Amino acid sequence: AVAEEEEEEASPEGLEVHQEEVDFIAELTPLLGRSPRALKRFANVYRLVKAGLRAYEEREFLESAGGMADYQAVLLLLAVDTGTPQVSRTFFEALSRTYAEPGLAPVIAQMATDPEIAAEDDWQRLQYWLRVKDPRRVPEDRGKLVSWAERVRRYSFNAGRV
């Protein structure tokens, strides 16, 4: 029983950032903006999320079975939250409301109907990034994004609980 409890605890090794994480962060650069404060928040919150992983979650976090890996979902959600603060809450809400529909097209369509959102520079950057990304990075099955959204919102400065 003691060994099981130890296995369930988060480990400090989980805070190590691997090359594939760095590579995906580089892809997210257009979303992150240039504010040093936002970039620091992005990195720190990502570490907090990783620090809270259980051993079994850690083992699967970097794995990708041909689709989006958990770390990519978390990084994308954090990039939306910290890099596009004017539209992050709306993005998280649309992600939740359109869950039954495949792909991110319904999320984009729902957000684009809001005239206040459509006028935001943050929306233009987010929409562009979502539409031009390789489908292996932003898959039609957005289950990973939805499954991580609640945990990411716990640490959110912008999206908060919706």
Side-chain angles (χ1 to χ4, degrees):
V2 174
E4 287 180 44
E5 287 179 25
E6 289 177 17
E7 183 179 339
E8 290 299 314
E9 292 180 16
S11 69
E13 292 84 32
L15 296 178
E16 180 181 335
V17 177
H18 301 276
Q19 188 59 49
E20 57 263 45
E21 293 166 296
V22 172
D23 293 344
F24 193 64
I25 291 169
E27 289 184 40
L28 293 169
T29 301
L31 290 180
L32 291 172
R34 295 194 172 155
S35 163
R37 182 174 290 161
L39 294 174
K40 185 175 181 178
R41 183 181 316 125
F42 171 81
N44 287 339
V45 172
Y46 183 62
R47 287 187 179 126
L48 282 172
V49 171
K50 284 185 72 171
L53 296 176
R54 302 287 188 202
Y56 71 91
E57 291 174 315
E58 249 181 74
R59 288 189 291 271
E60 298 172 0
F61 194 67
L62 295 175
E63 293 176 9
S64 148
M68 178 176 267
D70 289 329
Y71 79 91
Q72 291 171 323
V74 170
L75 287 169
L76 174 56
L77 292 167
L78 287 173
V80 170
D81 182 55
T82 59
T84 60
Q86 301 301 318
V87 298
S88 63
R89 179 180 297 269
T90 305
F91 176 81
F92 278 82
E93 289 171 353
L95 189 63
S96 296
R97 279 196 304 265
T98 61
Y99 181 72
E101 301 172 55
L104 286 172
V107 174
I108 293 169
Q110 188 174 81
M111 291 182 71
T113 62
D114 183 334
E116 289 181 27
I117 293 297
E120 292 288 343
D121 289 340
D122 283 356
W123 169 237
Q124 300 307 318
R125 284 188 300 119
L126 176 58
Q127 179 180 216
Y128 176 77
W129 194 90
L130 290 173
R131 289 187 177 191
V132 300
K133 284 289 76 171
D134 181 333
R136 290 171 294 155
R137 298 292 190 195
V138 183
E140 282 301 305
D141 172 16
R142 63 179 186 268
K144 291 266 187 192
L145 291 172
V146 172
S147 70
W148 282 99
E150 183 60 33
R151 192 178 302 192
V152 169
R153 279 195 297 249
R154 287 183 207 152
Y155 301 100
S156 172
F157 287 86
N158 301 304
R161 289 198 179 270
V162 290

